[in-house]
Amino acid sequence: MTARIGVVTFPGSLDDRDTQRAIRLAGAEPVALWHKDKDLKQVDAVVLPGGFSYGDYLRAGAISRFSPVMETVIEQAKAGLPVLGICNGFQVLTEAHLLPGGMLGNDHLHFICRDQKLRVENAETAWTSDYSEGQEIHIPLKNMDGRYVADQYTLDKLEAEGRVAFRYLDFNPNGSLNDIAGITNEAGNVVGLMPHPEHAVEPLIGSGRTDGLPFFTSILKKLVNA
């Protein structure tokens, strides 16, 4: 039976189709989910894609957090459903309190788009098991509000519990504290990151690398072996 991975589309989502393609390339079935629907269509995992949901008005991800679909996502994520938030999706996860901390505007106050070097810090989550701890990868990054922030207690807790999933290397593109590029919840089923792995899944498209594909093969193996 083919694993089904839902991709939520909010008004302003830009990378939902790219994410669906990445899921298909990994060997799973992408399922389109609309933000107004509470029904997740019996998917095995969910991805909140990148973009500018609701134009990032008020605060990035703040309005999408209250979309009807998020009621179900929050409930099922707390029960163990694997959820990945990419860029704007990461912002939504922090607004929904599925991940701690928050996102502010880049410290240089400019939109940034670049091929970003990362180090894998946690290869034991549902979305990172096809990586190796300490592995260095390149993933495209594009954001305006990508600066991860949290109070010192939260930062210390994330570091002590190994919940920093990815860290920026060589260059911190947005001023994120502790060079954090992605984090996970305690259970390891919810992961958020600012760079875009769906843009690094084919050698002839996007960055020309496939460093992002293991996100999607990791969850597929997790679901098949569950």
Side-chain angles (χ1 to χ4, degrees):
M1 185 175 178
T2 303
R4 291 162 46 85
I5 302 178
V7 180
V8 178
T9 297
F10 300 98
S13 293
L14 299 178
D15 301 298
D16 44 349
R17 296 294 182 89
D18 302 72
T19 303
Q20 291 176 26
R21 181 176 179 82
I23 290 168
R24 193 175 294 111
L25 285 170
E29 177 188 351
V31 178
L33 301 175
W34 183 236
H35 75 111
K36 285 189 175 182
D37 299 329
K38 292 185 179 182
D39 181 13
L40 297 186
K41 301 181 181 178
Q42 297 182 315
V43 297
D44 303 299
V46 168
V47 180
L48 306 180
F52 300 89
S53 62
Y54 291 92
D56 279 350
Y57 296 125
L58 181 62
R59 191 173 60 246
I63 302 177
S64 291
R65 176 262 180 271
F66 293 101
S67 289
V69 72
M70 287 304 298
E71 292 183 31
T72 312
V73 170
I74 292 169
E75 177 184 352
Q76 295 197 19
K78 291 179 178 178
L81 179 75
V83 178
L84 174 66
I86 302 170
C87 194
N88 191 232
F90 186 8
Q91 295 161 342
V92 174
L93 289 177
T94 61
E95 293 288 343
H97 304 298
L98 286 174
L99 292 174
M103 296 291 179
L104 296 178
N106 298 342
D107 60 352
H108 46 73
L109 304 180
H110 295 286
F111 179 85
I112 188 168
C113 181
R114 56 176 277 125
D115 195 19
Q116 179 66 46
K117 189 176 182 180
L118 307 175
R119 182 172 62 238
V120 180
E121 302 283 28
N122 186 331
E124 297 181 359
T125 78
W127 298 92
T128 61
S129 61
D130 263 2
Y131 291 110
S132 300
E133 184 177 337
Q135 182 178 349
E136 297 182 3
I137 60 177
H138 289 80
I139 302 289
L141 173 87
K142 50 179 185 177
N143 65 72
M144 180 67 190
D145 299 287
R147 177 161 52 115
Y148 180 77
V149 296
D151 59 51
Q152 194 59 51
Y153 173 82
T154 299
L155 289 172
D156 291 344
K157 186 176 175 65
L158 289 172
E159 296 287 0
E161 295 178 355
R163 289 169 53 195
V164 175
F166 297 90
R167 210 180 300 271
Y168 297 118
L169 286 185
D170 296 344
F171 172 71
N172 186 324
N174 44 40
S176 290
L177 298 180
N178 292 22
D179 298 326
I180 290 174
I183 60 174
T184 179
N185 66 344
E186 293 181 14
N189 64 303
V190 179
V191 171
L193 80 157
M194 191 48 55
H196 288 259
E198 76 279 10
H199 294 328
V201 294
E202 295 180 280
L204 296 180
I205 296 178
S207 68
R209 300 175 183 269
T210 59
D211 290 3
L213 191 59
F215 274 91
F216 306 100
T217 57
S218 292
I219 189 59
L220 179 58
K221 290 180 180 179
K222 167 74 173 178
L223 296 173
V224 169
N225 295 327

